[in-house]
Amino acid sequence: MPISADTLAELLGVSVRTIYRDMVTLQAMGAPVRGEPGLGYQLERGYFLPPLHLDHDEMDAVMLGMRLIAARSDEPLAAAARRASAKFAASMEPGRQAAYANLPLRAVSKQTSESESAKAHLTLLRDAIRRRLILCITYADFSGNESERTIRPLGLTLFDSAWLLTAWCDARNAFRNFRADRIATISSTGAIFRQERGRRFEDYLKTL
């Protein structure tokens, strides 16, 4: 059954226009994708992706990236990184799978009270970003003063020492950044926000 561009865009977190463009590119490359705008898309039966052919630097990058995520994230995302890494290995040529699994690369993260506090919120924050849930948070600034904010969570950024939540703050009518480890409480309002031009994560990035 064909899947609509709207559904694919929602699942992948991109615009419908991006889906249309990428499907045209895939079809031009010879990928067996059938469909067109308005009808939906589907992959022909019996088609399997060929084994991944990663060079040494690409293998290092994937493995180190997965291990870094596993070391710095909440357990659900860390487990997802391990599963994704296993899937990468399974999609490689048989002779490369063992080499990938045994790469001498490690990522170590120092566990602090701040990192543990941040991890406690990451699963909920990622879910809220994905589902566009309006949240009510209690936030403590660097002086320890707490305030309540109603926010639209837009994106997370991992820095060397902290996770930073970028959100649209309704009270300030502007973008605001919150350190995840300084968020005391989070609750969902039950409301969902729409992506609005000028209030999206990509709009925030343009201001940097």
Side-chain angles (χ1 to χ4, degrees):
M1 174 182 291
I3 301 177
S4 70
D6 288 331
T7 299
L8 290 171
E10 181 71 21
L11 289 171
L12 298 173
V14 299
S15 68
V16 173
R17 180 177 296 179
T18 297
I19 296 296
Y20 289 154
R21 183 193 63 214
D22 289 350
M23 288 302 176
V24 170
T25 300
L26 287 171
Q27 290 170 337
M29 292 171 59
V33 176
R34 292 187 296 164
E36 60 185 70
L39 297 178
Y41 300 91
Q42 68 183 84
L43 195 64
E44 291 182 5
R45 290 182 179 275
Y47 179 77
F48 298 94
L49 291 174
L52 286 177
H53 298 281
L54 302 181
D55 62 32
H56 293 295
D57 286 338
E58 290 169 341
M59 288 173 64
D60 287 353
V62 171
M63 175 57 82
L64 193 55
M66 294 299 181
R67 287 178 173 169
L68 179 61
I69 292 171
R72 298 290 303 277
S73 303
D74 56 290
E75 181 51 35
L77 191 58
R82 291 189 288 267
R83 293 195 305 272
S85 186
K87 290 178 181 178
F88 267 106
S91 66
M92 295 177 185
E93 299 171 288
R96 309 276 292 193
Q97 294 177 9
Y100 172 78
N102 296 313
L103 284 173
L105 300 170
R106 293 293 182 271
V108 178
S109 179
K110 181 180 179 181
Q111 302 303 310
T112 64
S113 58
E114 288 82 5
S115 66
E116 292 304 305
S117 296
K119 287 180 181 180
H121 299 307
L122 290 179
T123 301
L124 194 156
L125 290 175
R126 290 189 294 104
D127 181 64
I129 291 170
R130 187 181 303 116
R131 297 169 57 193
R132 299 199 298 274
L133 301 176
I134 297 178
L135 302 177
C136 181
I137 66 170
T138 303
Y139 186 74
D141 62 21
F142 285 98
S143 299
N145 300 313
E146 290 191 348
S147 61
E148 289 190 356
R149 308 287 187 91
T150 300
I151 62 170
R152 305 179 183 192
L154 303 175
L156 284 164
T157 303
L158 174 60
F159 288 92
D160 291 336
S161 59
W163 281 89
L164 199 67
L165 170 69
T166 298
W168 181 265
C169 180
D170 287 345
R172 302 293 190 273
N173 197 37
F175 294 111
R176 287 292 185 269
N177 289 312
F178 305 93
R179 280 183 54 141
D181 58 287
R182 292 184 174 275
I183 299 175
T185 63
I186 304 177
S187 60
S188 174
T189 65
I192 297 175
F193 65 90
R194 294 184 296 107
Q195 293 279 24
E196 299 179 38
R197 188 175 298 277
R199 299 184 178 187
R200 303 167 301 180
F201 189 57
E202 52 264 42
D203 297 318
Y204 165 74
L205 295 177
K206 292 176 183 178
T207 69
L208 300 180

